[in-house]
Amino acid sequence: TSRAHGERIGNAQRTKNLSTAIYFISIVVVGVGVSYAAVPLYKVFCQATGFGGTTRQATIDQAKKMVPVQGARPITVRFAASTTDTLQWKFKPQQREVKVVPGETALAFYTAYNKSDEPIVGVATYNITPLKAGVYFNKIQCFCFDQQRLKPKEEVDMPVFFYIDPEFENDPQMENVRDIVLSYTFFKAK
């Protein structure tokens, strides 16, 4: 009986250990799945809501319908660029700023140069400041979130085609906004 009791305790302990192991493995699997889904889900959420100064994505058809708002005050769109320390690229805007009125489309360029002797893949994220202006800033074409592969010593121009929604002019919260900053940061992808 003492032996049978010992076997039952041993079996119970093994079952408890197996259950604990399965529980922790499940947590790891769910954590990995959530981490892979987080970036695309966050991107969709931000583009839909303008959260965190995220711009909206527009189509070329929407851009063709844009008409500059007559009598609207010009808005200065400034461009900023940075890279992380691990990315051996030189990255900068080709122009410091452009002036646009709501409803007017504009095209700006950034330049990326791979300073290394090896190919490097980078991915850019962006934001708009002030954050509240993000819902009115519509990108038609952009290099953000797409992997960019630069060969050793290669230099490329990257376009950003955008407009500020005409409703910007009618929003009382935008009344004091005269400047918008579009900022990109490149990260090493691989």
Side-chain angles (χ1 to χ4, degrees):
T1 34
S2 166
R3 182 178 160 150
H5 179 69
E7 285 180 16
R8 279 195 309 264
I9 291 175
N11 287 340
Q13 186 64 39
R14 279 191 289 280
T15 302
K16 185 177 177 183
N17 288 346
L18 182 60
S19 294
T20 302
I22 290 171
Y23 176 76
F24 282 113
I25 289 170
S26 298
I27 288 174
V28 169
V29 168
V30 168
V32 169
V34 167
S35 68
Y36 276 105
V39 171
L41 291 175
Y42 182 73
K43 176 184 171 186
V44 168
F45 169 76
C46 290
Q47 287 179 338
T49 64
F51 178 77
T54 301
T55 66
R56 304 238 178 178
Q57 190 67 38
T59 65
I60 194 70
D61 290 334
Q62 290 170 311
K64 287 177 183 178
K65 295 176 187 173
M66 283 295 112
V67 176
V69 176
Q70 294 298 315
R73 60 189 158 85
I75 300 158
T76 303
V77 178
R78 299 182 197 288
F79 303 99
S82 62
T83 60
T84 59
D85 293 339
T86 59
L87 185 65
Q88 295 180 16
W89 285 7
K90 182 178 180 183
F91 177 58
K92 64 180 182 173
Q94 290 184 11
Q95 60 287 303
R96 288 181 161 287
E97 64 187 39
V98 297
K99 290 192 184 292
V100 295
V101 296
E104 177 182 7
T105 59
L107 181 63
F109 286 90
Y110 283 77
T111 300
Y113 174 71
N114 180 355
K115 300 184 289 185
S116 79
D117 292 327
E118 296 185 14
I120 298 178
V121 177
V123 175
T125 60
Y126 63 89
N127 72 336
I128 294 288
T129 51
L131 298 179
K132 63 185 178 181
V135 295
Y136 294 105
F137 198 98
N138 291 269
K139 291 185 291 117
I140 303 152
Q141 180 183 2
C142 173
F143 52 86
C144 51
F145 296 115
D146 293 331
Q147 290 189 354
Q148 307 291 329
R149 185 178 192 275
L150 271 63
K151 297 174 189 169
K153 310 299 182 196
E154 180 180 17
E155 181 176 278
V156 296
D157 294 334
M158 300 178 179
V160 180
F161 188 31
F162 67 92
Y163 66 87
I164 296 172
D165 192 295
E167 289 302 311
F168 180 96
E169 191 68 15
N170 301 324
D171 186 341
Q173 292 186 3
M174 299 296 120
E175 189 175 315
N176 295 323
V177 176
R178 302 278 188 259
D179 298 300
I180 294 175
V181 178
L182 173 60
S183 177
Y184 284 94
T185 301
F186 253 105
F187 298 86
K188 189 172 184 178
K190 292 182 182 179

mmCIF file of all heavy atoms in Angstrom, residues 117-161:
data_model
loop_
_atom_site.group_PDB
_atom_site.id
_atom_site.type_symbol
_atom_site.label_atom_id
_atom_site.label_comp_id
_atom_site.label_asym_id
_atom_site.label_seq_id
_atom_site.Cartn_x
_atom_site.Cartn_y
_atom_site.Cartn_z
ATOM 1 N N ASP A 117 29.600 47.997 -47.059
ATOM 2 C CA ASP A 117 30.064 47.173 -48.180
ATOM 3 C C ASP A 117 29.193 45.934 -48.363
ATOM 4 O O ASP A 117 29.585 44.997 -49.067
ATOM 5 C CB ASP A 117 31.522 46.749 -47.946
ATOM 6 C CG ASP A 117 32.465 47.931 -48.014
ATOM 7 O OD1 ASP A 117 32.196 48.864 -48.801
ATOM 8 O OD2 ASP A 117 33.468 47.940 -47.269
ATOM 9 N N GLU A 118 28.052 45.908 -47.712
ATOM 10 C CA GLU A 118 27.138 44.770 -47.818
ATOM 11 C C GLU A 118 25.724 45.265 -48.087
ATOM 12 O O GLU A 118 25.369 46.380 -47.707
ATOM 13 C CB GLU A 118 27.149 43.975 -46.509
ATOM 14 C CG GLU A 118 28.490 43.344 -46.205
ATOM 15 C CD GLU A 118 28.443 42.462 -44.964
ATOM 16 O OE1 GLU A 118 27.339 42.133 -44.517
ATOM 17 O OE2 GLU A 118 29.520 42.107 -44.478
ATOM 18 N N PRO A 119 24.909 44.431 -48.745
ATOM 19 C CA PRO A 119 23.509 44.831 -48.931
ATOM 20 C C PRO A 119 22.811 44.898 -47.570
ATOM 21 O O PRO A 119 23.101 44.097 -46.678
ATOM 22 C CB PRO A 119 22.912 43.722 -49.789
ATOM 23 C CG PRO A 119 23.934 42.675 -49.947
ATOM 24 C CD PRO A 119 25.210 43.138 -49.333
ATOM 25 N N ILE A 120 21.919 45.855 -47.435
ATOM 26 C CA ILE A 120 21.176 46.022 -46.184
ATOM 27 C C ILE A 120 19.714 46.259 -46.524
ATOM 28 O O ILE A 120 19.390 47.014 -47.433
ATOM 29 C CB ILE A 120 21.717 47.204 -45.351
ATOM 30 C CG1 ILE A 120 23.174 46.971 -44.949
ATOM 31 C CG2 ILE A 120 20.855 47.419 -44.107
ATOM 32 C CD1 ILE A 120 23.783 48.125 -44.171
ATOM 33 N N VAL A 121 18.837 45.615 -45.732
ATOM 34 C CA VAL A 121 17.401 45.818 -45.874
ATOM 35 C C VAL A 121 16.927 46.667 -44.703
ATOM 36 O O VAL A 121 17.224 46.369 -43.544
ATOM 37 C CB VAL A 121 16.649 44.468 -45.902
ATOM 38 C CG1 VAL A 121 15.147 44.697 -45.973
ATOM 39 C CG2 VAL A 121 17.130 43.614 -47.061
ATOM 40 N N GLY A 122 16.200 47.724 -45.024
ATOM 41 C CA GLY A 122 15.664 48.605 -44.002
ATOM 42 C C GLY A 122 14.164 48.766 -44.145
ATOM 43 O O GLY A 122 13.603 48.539 -45.220
ATOM 44 N N VAL A 123 13.532 49.152 -43.054
ATOM 45 C CA VAL A 123 12.095 49.429 -43.037
ATOM 46 C C VAL A 123 11.888 50.746 -42.306
ATOM 47 O O VAL A 123 12.479 50.974 -41.252
ATOM 48 C CB VAL A 123 11.311 48.310 -42.305
ATOM 49 C CG1 VAL A 123 9.843 48.668 -42.192
ATOM 50 C CG2 VAL A 123 11.473 46.989 -43.008
ATOM 51 N N ALA A 124 11.042 51.596 -42.882
ATOM 52 C CA ALA A 124 10.787 52.900 -42.283
ATOM 53 C C ALA A 124 9.430 52.941 -41.593
ATOM 54 O O ALA A 124 8.460 52.361 -42.062
ATOM 55 C CB ALA A 124 10.836 53.989 -43.350
ATOM 56 N N THR A 125 9.411 53.640 -40.472
ATOM 57 C CA THR A 125 8.154 54.010 -39.834
ATOM 58 C C THR A 125 8.073 55.528 -39.887
ATOM 59 O O THR A 125 9.061 56.204 -40.174
ATOM 60 C CB THR A 125 8.087 53.540 -38.368
ATOM 61 O OG1 THR A 125 9.153 54.146 -37.638
ATOM 62 C CG2 THR A 125 8.175 52.034 -38.279
ATOM 63 N N TYR A 126 6.911 56.063 -39.609
ATOM 64 C CA TYR A 126 6.734 57.508 -39.725
ATOM 65 C C TYR A 126 5.776 57.993 -38.657
ATOM 66 O O TYR A 126 5.058 57.213 -38.032
ATOM 67 C CB TYR A 126 6.165 57.865 -41.105
ATOM 68 C CG TYR A 126 4.794 57.272 -41.315
ATOM 69 C CD1 TYR A 126 3.651 57.960 -40.941
ATOM 70 C CD2 TYR A 126 4.650 55.996 -41.827
ATOM 71 C CE1 TYR A 126 2.406 57.396 -41.088
ATOM 72 C CE2 TYR A 126 3.407 55.433 -41.983
ATOM 73 C CZ TYR A 126 2.283 56.148 -41.614
ATOM 74 O OH TYR A 126 1.046 55.576 -41.749
ATOM 75 N N ASN A 127 5.764 59.290 -38.467
ATOM 76 C CA ASN A 127 4.720 59.916 -37.677
ATOM 77 C C ASN A 127 4.578 61.374 -38.082
ATOM 78 O O ASN A 127 5.409 61.916 -38.814
ATOM 79 C CB ASN A 127 4.954 59.749 -36.177
ATOM 80 C CG ASN A 127 6.094 60.585 -35.675
ATOM 81 O OD1 ASN A 127 6.988 60.953 -36.410
ATOM 82 N ND2 ASN A 127 6.069 60.891 -34.403
ATOM 83 N N ILE A 128 3.514 61.950 -37.634
ATOM 84 C CA ILE A 128 3.169 63.335 -37.927
ATOM 85 C C ILE A 128 3.083 64.078 -36.607
ATOM 86 O O ILE A 128 2.513 63.572 -35.637
ATOM 87 C CB ILE A 128 1.780 63.408 -38.627
ATOM 88 C CG1 ILE A 128 1.827 62.759 -39.996
ATOM 89 C CG2 ILE A 128 1.264 64.829 -38.704
ATOM 90 C CD1 ILE A 128 2.565 63.535 -41.030
ATOM 91 N N THR A 129 3.626 65.280 -36.575
ATOM 92 C CA THR A 129 3.401 66.168 -35.436
ATOM 93 C C THR A 129 2.939 67.509 -35.985
ATOM 94 O O THR A 129 3.423 67.920 -37.045
ATOM 95 C CB THR A 129 4.666 66.355 -34.572
ATOM 96 O OG1 THR A 129 5.754 66.714 -35.393
ATOM 97 C CG2 THR A 129 4.998 65.100 -33.809
ATOM 98 N N PRO A 130 2.009 68.143 -35.336
ATOM 99 C CA PRO A 130 1.327 67.691 -34.126
ATOM 100 C C PRO A 130 0.467 66.461 -34.408
ATOM 101 O O PRO A 130 -0.044 66.287 -35.510
ATOM 102 C CB PRO A 130 0.450 68.897 -33.726
ATOM 103 C CG PRO A 130 0.257 69.667 -34.977
ATOM 104 C CD PRO A 130 1.473 69.433 -35.823
ATOM 105 N N LEU A 131 0.317 65.633 -33.375
ATOM 106 C CA LEU A 131 -0.393 64.367 -33.530
ATOM 107 C C LEU A 131 -1.805 64.560 -34.066
ATOM 108 O O LEU A 131 -2.287 63.772 -34.872
ATOM 109 C CB LEU A 131 -0.439 63.618 -32.195
ATOM 110 C CG LEU A 131 0.910 63.216 -31.588
ATOM 111 C CD1 LEU A 131 0.692 62.517 -30.257
ATOM 112 C CD2 LEU A 131 1.698 62.351 -32.529
ATOM 113 N N LYS A 132 -2.467 65.621 -33.618
ATOM 114 C CA LYS A 132 -3.862 65.834 -34.018
ATOM 115 C C LYS A 132 -4.015 66.090 -35.514
ATOM 116 O O LYS A 132 -5.099 65.933 -36.061
ATOM 117 C CB LYS A 132 -4.482 66.981 -33.214
ATOM 118 C CG LYS A 132 -3.823 68.329 -33.431
ATOM 119 C CD LYS A 132 -4.418 69.381 -32.505
ATOM 120 C CE LYS A 132 -3.737 70.719 -32.673
ATOM 121 N NZ LYS A 132 -4.306 71.716 -31.766
ATOM 122 N N ALA A 133 -2.941 66.447 -36.200
ATOM 123 C CA ALA A 133 -3.005 66.698 -37.642
ATOM 124 C C ALA A 133 -2.911 65.407 -38.455
ATOM 125 O O ALA A 133 -3.205 65.398 -39.651
ATOM 126 C CB ALA A 133 -1.893 67.653 -38.063
ATOM 127 N N GLY A 134 -2.541 64.305 -37.815
ATOM 128 C CA GLY A 134 -2.364 63.036 -38.521
ATOM 129 C C GLY A 134 -3.600 62.565 -39.253
ATOM 130 O O GLY A 134 -3.499 61.971 -40.326
ATOM 131 N N VAL A 135 -4.779 62.828 -38.712
ATOM 132 C CA VAL A 135 -6.014 62.361 -39.358
ATOM 133 C C VAL A 135 -6.284 63.099 -40.669
ATOM 134 O O VAL A 135 -7.054 62.619 -41.493
ATOM 135 C CB VAL A 135 -7.236 62.480 -38.428
ATOM 136 C CG1 VAL A 135 -7.093 61.562 -37.235
ATOM 137 C CG2 VAL A 135 -7.482 63.904 -38.003
ATOM 138 N N TYR A 136 -5.634 64.240 -40.874
ATOM 139 C CA TYR A 136 -5.850 65.026 -42.094
ATOM 140 C C TYR A 136 -4.738 64.834 -43.127
ATOM 141 O O TYR A 136 -4.867 65.284 -44.255
ATOM 142 C CB TYR A 136 -5.968 66.515 -41.757
ATOM 143 C CG TYR A 136 -7.200 66.810 -40.951
ATOM 144 C CD1 TYR A 136 -7.124 67.078 -39.593
ATOM 145 C CD2 TYR A 136 -8.455 66.786 -41.550
ATOM 146 C CE1 TYR A 136 -8.264 67.334 -38.861
ATOM 147 C CE2 TYR A 136 -9.599 67.036 -40.818
ATOM 148 C CZ TYR A 136 -9.496 67.311 -39.473
ATOM 149 O OH TYR A 136 -10.627 67.558 -38.746
ATOM 150 N N PHE A 137 -3.655 64.200 -42.738
ATOM 151 C CA PHE A 137 -2.516 64.009 -43.624
ATOM 152 C C PHE A 137 -2.710 62.684 -44.356
ATOM 153 O O PHE A 137 -2.710 61.623 -43.750
ATOM 154 C CB PHE A 137 -1.215 63.995 -42.824
ATOM 155 C CG PHE A 137 0.001 64.231 -43.654
ATOM 156 C CD1 PHE A 137 0.575 65.489 -43.730
ATOM 157 C CD2 PHE A 137 0.588 63.196 -44.366
ATOM 158 C CE1 PHE A 137 1.708 65.711 -44.493
ATOM 159 C CE2 PHE A 137 1.716 63.411 -45.135
ATOM 160 C CZ PHE A 137 2.278 64.675 -45.197
ATOM 161 N N ASN A 138 -2.891 62.730 -45.660
ATOM 162 C CA ASN A 138 -3.172 61.540 -46.463
ATOM 163 C C ASN A 138 -2.003 61.220 -47.380
ATOM 164 O O ASN A 138 -1.638 62.044 -48.218
ATOM 165 C CB ASN A 138 -4.420 61.771 -47.317
ATOM 166 C CG ASN A 138 -5.662 61.848 -46.483
ATOM 167 O OD1 ASN A 138 -6.307 60.845 -46.242
ATOM 168 N ND2 ASN A 138 -6.010 63.043 -46.012
ATOM 169 N N LYS A 139 -1.448 60.026 -47.208
ATOM 170 C CA LYS A 139 -0.366 59.577 -48.086
ATOM 171 C C LYS A 139 -0.958 58.784 -49.239
ATOM 172 O O LYS A 139 -1.755 57.880 -49.037
ATOM 173 C CB LYS A 139 0.634 58.718 -47.325
ATOM 174 C CG LYS A 139 1.440 59.487 -46.300
ATOM 175 C CD LYS A 139 2.493 58.635 -45.659
ATOM 176 C CE LYS A 139 1.879 57.608 -44.798
ATOM 177 N NZ LYS A 139 2.019 56.252 -45.052
ATOM 178 N N ILE A 140 -0.561 59.130 -50.441
ATOM 179 C CA ILE A 140 -1.005 58.424 -51.634
ATOM 180 C C ILE A 140 0.043 57.378 -52.009
ATOM 181 O O ILE A 140 -0.272 56.255 -52.352
ATOM 182 C CB ILE A 140 -1.211 59.412 -52.800
ATOM 183 C CG1 ILE A 140 -2.213 60.487 -52.377
ATOM 184 C CG2 ILE A 140 -1.672 58.688 -54.060
ATOM 185 C CD1 ILE A 140 -2.023 61.799 -53.063
ATOM 186 N N GLN A 141 1.293 57.771 -51.929
ATOM 187 C CA GLN A 141 2.405 56.860 -52.202
ATOM 188 C C GLN A 141 3.477 57.111 -51.161
ATOM 189 O O GLN A 141 3.800 58.261 -50.848
ATOM 190 C CB GLN A 141 2.973 57.101 -53.590
ATOM 191 C CG GLN A 141 4.122 56.194 -53.936
ATOM 192 C CD GLN A 141 4.716 56.500 -55.307
ATOM 193 O OE1 GLN A 141 4.301 57.403 -55.998
ATOM 194 N NE2 GLN A 141 5.721 55.742 -55.680
ATOM 195 N N CYS A 142 4.021 56.014 -50.638
ATOM 196 C CA CYS A 142 5.012 56.143 -49.571
ATOM 197 C C CYS A 142 5.850 54.870 -49.500
ATOM 198 O O CYS A 142 5.395 53.801 -49.884
ATOM 199 C CB CYS A 142 4.280 56.364 -48.255
ATOM 200 S SG CYS A 142 5.324 56.357 -46.822
ATOM 201 N N PHE A 143 7.039 54.989 -48.984
ATOM 202 C CA PHE A 143 7.949 53.856 -48.847
ATOM 203 C C PHE A 143 7.889 53.227 -47.462
ATOM 204 O O PHE A 143 8.575 52.246 -47.196
ATOM 205 C CB PHE A 143 9.394 54.293 -49.145
ATOM 206 C CG PHE A 143 9.819 55.493 -48.348
ATOM 207 C CD1 PHE A 143 10.343 55.362 -47.077
ATOM 208 C CD2 PHE A 143 9.681 56.770 -48.879
ATOM 209 C CE1 PHE A 143 10.728 56.475 -46.343
ATOM 210 C CE2 PHE A 143 10.076 57.883 -48.162
ATOM 211 C CZ PHE A 143 10.592 57.729 -46.887
ATOM 212 N N CYS A 144 7.069 53.755 -46.594
ATOM 213 C CA CYS A 144 7.029 53.270 -45.215
ATOM 214 C C CYS A 144 6.441 51.864 -45.131
ATOM 215 O O CYS A 144 5.599 51.479 -45.933
ATOM 216 C CB CYS A 144 6.232 54.226 -44.340
ATOM 217 S SG CYS A 144 4.635 54.619 -45.012
ATOM 218 N N PHE A 145 6.928 51.116 -44.186
ATOM 219 C CA PHE A 145 6.535 49.743 -43.887
ATOM 220 C C PHE A 145 6.901 48.743 -44.986
ATOM 221 O O PHE A 145 6.685 47.561 -44.824
ATOM 222 C CB PHE A 145 5.035 49.629 -43.564
ATOM 223 C CG PHE A 145 4.643 50.366 -42.320
ATOM 224 C CD1 PHE A 145 3.794 51.452 -42.389
ATOM 225 C CD2 PHE A 145 5.128 49.981 -41.082
ATOM 226 C CE1 PHE A 145 3.433 52.143 -41.247
ATOM 227 C CE2 PHE A 145 4.776 50.667 -39.931
ATOM 228 C CZ PHE A 145 3.924 51.749 -40.017
ATOM 229 N N ASP A 146 7.448 49.205 -46.098
ATOM 230 C CA ASP A 146 7.923 48.302 -47.145
ATOM 231 C C ASP A 146 9.425 48.109 -46.969
ATOM 232 O O ASP A 146 10.151 49.078 -46.746
ATOM 233 C CB ASP A 146 7.661 48.877 -48.542
ATOM 234 C CG ASP A 146 6.188 48.953 -48.869
ATOM 235 O OD1 ASP A 146 5.416 48.126 -48.344
ATOM 236 O OD2 ASP A 146 5.802 49.852 -49.633
ATOM 237 N N GLN A 147 9.878 46.877 -47.099
ATOM 238 C CA GLN A 147 11.313 46.635 -46.975
ATOM 239 C C GLN A 147 12.035 47.243 -48.177
ATOM 240 O O GLN A 147 11.616 47.067 -49.314
ATOM 241 C CB GLN A 147 11.597 45.143 -46.880
ATOM 242 C CG GLN A 147 11.127 44.550 -45.575
ATOM 243 C CD GLN A 147 11.602 43.130 -45.378
ATOM 244 O OE1 GLN A 147 12.203 42.511 -46.246
ATOM 245 N NE2 GLN A 147 11.357 42.600 -44.196
ATOM 246 N N GLN A 148 13.094 47.963 -47.893
ATOM 247 C CA GLN A 148 13.915 48.594 -48.922
ATOM 248 C C GLN A 148 15.296 47.943 -48.871
ATOM 249 O O GLN A 148 15.972 48.001 -47.842
ATOM 250 C CB GLN A 148 14.051 50.106 -48.662
ATOM 251 C CG GLN A 148 12.730 50.823 -48.484
ATOM 252 C CD GLN A 148 11.927 50.905 -49.759
ATOM 253 O OE1 GLN A 148 12.473 50.958 -50.850
ATOM 254 N NE2 GLN A 148 10.611 50.906 -49.618
ATOM 255 N N ARG A 149 15.708 47.333 -49.965
ATOM 256 C CA ARG A 149 17.015 46.680 -50.020
ATOM 257 C C ARG A 149 17.961 47.557 -50.821
ATOM 258 O O ARG A 149 17.717 47.849 -51.982
ATOM 259 C CB ARG A 149 16.905 45.306 -50.684
ATOM 260 C CG ARG A 149 18.215 44.540 -50.665
ATOM 261 C CD ARG A 149 18.012 43.152 -51.299
ATOM 262 N NE ARG A 149 19.129 42.283 -51.057
ATOM 263 C CZ ARG A 149 20.234 42.269 -51.824
ATOM 264 N NH1 ARG A 149 20.339 43.068 -52.853
ATOM 265 N NH2 ARG A 149 21.224 41.437 -51.542
ATOM 266 N N LEU A 150 19.036 47.968 -50.173
ATOM 267 C CA LEU A 150 20.053 48.764 -50.848
ATOM 268 C C LEU A 150 21.334 47.950 -50.961
ATOM 269 O O LEU A 150 21.796 47.357 -49.982
ATOM 270 C CB LEU A 150 20.344 50.054 -50.075
ATOM 271 C CG LEU A 150 19.467 51.257 -50.432
ATOM 272 C CD1 LEU A 150 18.018 51.017 -50.114
ATOM 273 C CD2 LEU A 150 19.990 52.498 -49.749
ATOM 274 N N LYS A 151 21.886 47.932 -52.154
ATOM 275 C CA LYS A 151 23.167 47.266 -52.401
ATOM 276 C C LYS A 151 24.282 48.092 -51.762
ATOM 277 O O LYS A 151 24.082 49.256 -51.426
ATOM 278 C CB LYS A 151 23.397 47.131 -53.905
ATOM 279 C CG LYS A 151 22.373 46.275 -54.613
ATOM 280 C CD LYS A 151 22.590 46.308 -56.104
ATOM 281 C CE LYS A 151 21.438 45.633 -56.826
ATOM 282 N NZ LYS A 151 21.475 45.867 -58.265
ATOM 283 N N PRO A 152 25.468 47.528 -51.646
ATOM 284 C CA PRO A 152 26.580 48.294 -51.085
ATOM 285 C C PRO A 152 26.797 49.606 -51.859
ATOM 286 O O PRO A 152 26.797 49.612 -53.091
ATOM 287 C CB PRO A 152 27.786 47.365 -51.244
ATOM 288 C CG PRO A 152 27.195 46.000 -51.332
ATOM 289 C CD PRO A 152 25.861 46.166 -51.991
ATOM 290 N N LYS A 153 26.903 50.697 -51.140
ATOM 291 C CA LYS A 153 27.158 52.044 -51.688
ATOM 292 C C LYS A 153 26.037 52.545 -52.612
ATOM 293 O O LYS A 153 26.207 53.524 -53.321
ATOM 294 C CB LYS A 153 28.497 52.109 -52.443
ATOM 295 C CG LYS A 153 29.678 51.543 -51.684
ATOM 296 C CD LYS A 153 29.929 52.283 -50.394
ATOM 297 C CE LYS A 153 31.159 51.718 -49.703
ATOM 298 N NZ LYS A 153 31.246 52.110 -48.310
ATOM 299 N N GLU A 154 24.878 51.891 -52.597
ATOM 300 C CA GLU A 154 23.766 52.306 -53.454
ATOM 301 C C GLU A 154 23.016 53.478 -52.829
ATOM 302 O O GLU A 154 22.829 53.542 -51.615
ATOM 303 C CB GLU A 154 22.799 51.147 -53.678
ATOM 304 C CG GLU A 154 21.616 51.505 -54.560
ATOM 305 C CD GLU A 154 20.640 50.357 -54.779
ATOM 306 O OE1 GLU A 154 20.672 49.373 -54.012
ATOM 307 O OE2 GLU A 154 19.844 50.450 -55.724
ATOM 308 N N GLU A 155 22.571 54.381 -53.702
ATOM 309 C CA GLU A 155 21.758 55.517 -53.279
ATOM 310 C C GLU A 155 20.436 55.480 -54.045
ATOM 311 O O GLU A 155 20.435 55.255 -55.256
ATOM 312 C CB GLU A 155 22.486 56.833 -53.558
ATOM 313 C CG GLU A 155 21.715 58.055 -53.117
ATOM 314 C CD GLU A 155 22.503 59.335 -53.307
ATOM 315 O OE1 GLU A 155 23.330 59.634 -52.421
ATOM 316 O OE2 GLU A 155 22.297 60.002 -54.331
ATOM 317 N N VAL A 156 19.326 55.674 -53.327
ATOM 318 C CA VAL A 156 18.019 55.672 -53.968
ATOM 319 C C VAL A 156 17.199 56.878 -53.502
ATOM 320 O O VAL A 156 17.377 57.371 -52.395
ATOM 321 C CB VAL A 156 17.224 54.375 -53.688
ATOM 322 C CG1 VAL A 156 17.914 53.161 -54.274
ATOM 323 C CG2 VAL A 156 16.969 54.191 -52.209
ATOM 324 N N ASP A 157 16.310 57.321 -54.389
ATOM 325 C CA ASP A 157 15.351 58.363 -54.053
ATOM 326 C C ASP A 157 14.030 57.693 -53.725
ATOM 327 O O ASP A 157 13.602 56.773 -54.433
ATOM 328 C CB ASP A 157 15.167 59.333 -55.218
ATOM 329 C CG ASP A 157 16.426 60.130 -55.497
ATOM 330 O OD1 ASP A 157 17.243 60.317 -54.573
ATOM 331 O OD2 ASP A 157 16.591 60.573 -56.647
ATOM 332 N N MET A 158 13.385 58.158 -52.673
ATOM 333 C CA MET A 158 12.128 57.566 -52.218
ATOM 334 C C MET A 158 11.059 58.647 -52.166
ATOM 335 O O MET A 158 11.169 59.595 -51.400
ATOM 336 C CB MET A 158 12.327 56.935 -50.843
ATOM 337 C CG MET A 158 13.359 55.850 -50.833
ATOM 338 S SD MET A 158 13.575 55.214 -49.171
ATOM 339 C CE MET A 158 14.799 53.964 -49.458
ATOM 340 N N PRO A 159 10.002 58.490 -52.986
ATOM 341 C CA PRO A 159 8.969 59.525 -53.039
ATOM 342 C C PRO A 159 7.904 59.380 -51.957
ATOM 343 O O PRO A 159 7.604 58.279 -51.486
ATOM 344 C CB PRO A 159 8.351 59.300 -54.416
ATOM 345 C CG PRO A 159 8.495 57.829 -54.639
ATOM 346 C CD PRO A 159 9.800 57.444 -53.975
ATOM 347 N N VAL A 160 7.347 60.519 -51.593
ATOM 348 C CA VAL A 160 6.168 60.585 -50.726
ATOM 349 C C VAL A 160 5.193 61.521 -51.424
ATOM 350 O O VAL A 160 5.489 62.702 -51.619
ATOM 351 C CB VAL A 160 6.509 61.140 -49.326
ATOM 352 C CG1 VAL A 160 5.255 61.194 -48.463
ATOM 353 C CG2 VAL A 160 7.577 60.317 -48.657
ATOM 354 N N PHE A 161 4.062 60.991 -51.835
ATOM 355 C CA PHE A 161 3.021 61.753 -52.526
ATOM 356 C C PHE A 161 1.879 61.897 -51.522
ATOM 357 O O PHE A 161 1.378 60.895 -50.997
ATOM 358 C CB PHE A 161 2.604 60.992 -53.782
ATOM 359 C CG PHE A 161 1.672 61.721 -54.703
ATOM 360 C CD1 PHE A 161 1.691 63.102 -54.830
ATOM 361 C CD2 PHE A 161 0.770 61.004 -55.469
ATOM 362 C CE1 PHE A 161 0.843 63.757 -55.691
ATOM 363 C CE2 PHE A 161 -0.095 61.647 -56.337
ATOM 364 C CZ PHE A 161 -0.056 63.028 -56.445
#
